[in-house]
Amino acid sequence: MFRNVYWKTLYDQRRGLGAWSIAIFVLVGLESALWPSIRNMPDLKDLYAKMPEELGKLFDLDAMSTGPGFLNAELFTLMLPVLFLVYGIGHGARSLAGEEEDGTLDLLLVMPITGARIVLQKALALLTCVVTLGVTLFVATTTMSLIFDVGISAGQAASGSLAMVLLGSEYGALALAAGAVLGRRSLATGIASAAAAGAYVLYAAGLMIESVEPWRPLSPFDQALTGGPLGAGLPAAYLWLVGGAVLLTLIAMPALDGRDIAAHN
Amino acid sequence: MDTAIRTRELSKQFRSHAALRRLNLEVPRGSVFGYLGPNGAGKTTTIRILAGLISPTTGGAEVLGFDVVDRCEEVQRRIGYLPGEFAAYPDLSGAQYLRYMAYLRGGVDWSEVERLAKRFDLDLAKRFKTLSHGNKQKIGIIQAFMHRPDLLILDEPTSGLDPLMQREFLALLRETRDDGRTVFLSSHILSDVEAVADTVAILRSGELVVTKSVDELRERALRRLELTFAGPAPIEVLRQADGVQEITVDGDTAHVEVAGSTASLLQAAAPHQIVNVVSHEVDLEAIFLDYYTARS
Ligand SMILES: Nc1ncnc2c1ncn2[C@@H]1O[C@H](COP(=O)(O)OP(=O)(O)O)[C@@H](O)[C@H]1O
Ligand SMILES: [Mg+2]
């Protein structure tokens, strides 16, 4: 487990990942358990019709009469993205800036391996952790769908989980890169959170305000959530998220070798 | 190549603050070199440049013949480094942490780790966060020594060690030197390194004040002697002797301060029926303070 920076980082995450996985399972389970009673509500359509039109667009309420639509609205367009962002940003900021503030980065950097390799292994460990949560989400969604007859296919669950993984990875990579460049964990968390909040506002405004609509595809939230995310298939927009995360990692890689590392005190 | 560390006009600027000013330092191989100076003198800054953690503003440095900026990896492969504020991962045990460092380094003989742990009476199974300050420092020391590097760069290594362990540590430094390897260690207390250092450099406000062998320092040191005579002390005779700085008389006893050798003084005193001679320890700390405060 201590063979290199990658495995050591995974070892550090073992408990955290366990707790997050349980949280995801419970959340998906509770929400899915609601579905049978929601489906059987006779005046569901009327209820949705009374809601403001904009809200309907944001949470895709029209589709709420189907199982995938219900979970999209209830979980996959806000709750789960927030969970994956919180995890990704927290992990990303701790990755390098956290080690620098704790004074443990010094000794990694005086080892005869380059800073770029340390950053790369940290980024891969982040990706592995977010993918682990994504797999958990996939398993939770498919099993709960079977138990409560939500009617979500494996393919639909896969695209939904993938969208969450991509969102978490992109903003996690942003936090990691900001931490690599700036060396401060709180700053890295702040920058990534602010960027995510801004992107969500752009996405939401794009749905509700016509003049903002053309800009909406620029938001990673739009790239991840449009057309689903449960049942979105494999939209080309996902490539933007992949590209973003890769680009941020490439920016972060030379950062440690190129700047002074703060002394611990 | 008999220089372990050489800096050329090495300077480091933190915004408007000059932490190091045109430092020219030469550390011979196979020696223990004490790098002394009060807090804020620039010791840690120098050491972090040598270890490749920060880069010089101007000037440069070579470690074991490799430039610290351009050939950073080569330098890092060959040094052992102990930071001023050593920190490991709180939840890992000593053994887990040292395994991790050993894997990252490559080519560490684990029996060396066990040997050092035993020598310093350290339980490697305990988690880092449960260790006392002194025991944490021992993990840092083992980490620096475990691959038997050619050069050790240690930032205030004796801080937190109890006197017994401090002695063990100084013995380790001597063995390392006798092995032909080099130790560069910083301290703000001369007495911590005086017993082991061959050479000391004194740094003040980012400038090198003096580099001297400990023997040379000792020679220049002021010694205080108490000479008791059978009759009244022959003050005028004593005053003529080489190196005498100050004399005070207390009945038949003369208190004399001498710089350097006391031979001339004793020769002058010998014909005058000395009853007793008391020589006090050489006070290196005093010269050290002298250098600290000089020209300030
Ligand atoms: N990252 C930094 N930013 C600004 N000033 C610094 C920084 N690191 C050190 N200094 C300043 O440089 C001077 C030398 O510090 P340092 O090398 O740590 O001294 P020492 O180790 O001898 O106590 C001090 O005045 C310190 O405040
Ligand atoms: Mg210091």
Side-chain angles (χ1 to χ4, degrees), chain B residues 271-289:
Chain B
H272 297 270
Q273 282 206 319
I274 311 182
V275 180
N276 193 24
V277 178
V278 179
S279 174
H280 292 277
E281 273 289 308
V282 178
D283 193 2
L284 277 182
E285 208 67 37
I287 356 173
F288 184 52
L289 283 176

Side-chain angles (χ1 to χ4, degrees), chain B residues 31-37 157-158 166-167 169-171 173-174 177 183-202 212-223 280-289 292:
Chain B
S31 68
V32 176
F33 193 97
Y35 195 47
L36 300 168
T158 51
Q166 185 148 342
R167 227 175 40 209
F169 175 70
L170 294 183
L173 297 189
R174 277 189 212 103
R177 172 193 52 201
V183 179
F184 181 82
L185 79 162
S186 77
S187 179
H188 62 278
I189 308 162
L190 174 67
S191 54
D192 277 3
V193 302
E194 165 187 356
V196 69
D198 302 301
T199 312
V200 295
I202 296 175
K212 272 208 164 35
S213 75
V214 171
D215 292 339
E216 257 181 286
L217 272 186
R218 241 186 221 117
E219 266 162 35
R220 290 195 29 161
L222 283 186
R223 274 158 228 258
H280 292 277
E281 273 289 308
V282 178
D283 193 2
L284 277 182
E285 208 67 37
I287 356 173
F288 184 52
L289 283 176
Y292 264 14

Side-chain angles (χ1 to χ4, degrees), chain B residues 56-67:
Chain B
T57 309
T58 58
E62 274 175 23
V63 168
L64 301 168
F66 298 101
D67 187 277

Side-chain angles (χ1 to χ4, degrees), chain A residues 2-5 8 11 99 102-104 106-114 259-265, chain B residues 12 48 51 53-55 73 76-77 81 83 85-89 92 96-97 100-101 103-105 143:
Chain A
F2 303 105
R3 210 154 290 276
N4 54 37
V5 174
K8 157 70 170 59
Y11 176 85
E99 284 223 30
D102 294 343
T104 51
D106 267 24
L107 278 161
L108 297 185
L109 288 173
V110 297
M111 294 298 155
I113 45 177
T114 60
R259 72 173 171 88
D260 288 356
I261 303 302
H264 181 54
N265 39 46
Chain B
K12 180 69 186 180
R48 294 178 75 78
L53 291 169
I54 62 179
S55 42
E73 305 293 311
Q76 291 174 344
R77 207 181 304 284
Y81 165 67
E85 299 283 335
F86 173 72
Y89 304 95
L92 295 197
Q96 287 175 319
Y97 178 75
Y100 184 36
M101 292 298 123
Y103 272 127
L104 293 182
R105 276 228 167 265
Q143 165 279 131

Side-chain angles (χ1 to χ4, degrees), chain B residues 38-45 84 155-156 186:
Chain B
N39 288 322
K43 304 183 295 295
T44 297
T45 302
D155 197 355
E156 313 231 4
S186 77

Side-chain angles (χ1 to χ4, degrees), chain A residues 95-150:
Chain A
S95 247
L96 295 162
E99 284 223 30
E100 183 166 352
E101 287 182 355
D102 294 343
T104 51
L105 187 63
D106 267 24
L107 278 161
L108 297 185
L109 288 173
V110 297
M111 294 298 155
I113 45 177
T114 60
R117 222 166 112 193
I118 293 173
V119 174
L120 184 61
Q121 293 194 17
K122 284 282 190 186
L124 288 175
L126 168 66
L127 178 66
T128 306
C129 290
V130 178
V131 167
T132 303
L133 292 185
V135 170
T136 306
L137 175 60
F138 171 79
V139 172
T141 310
T142 45
T143 42
M144 294 303 166
S145 171
L146 282 179
I147 294 171
F148 298 106
D149 195 22
V150 191

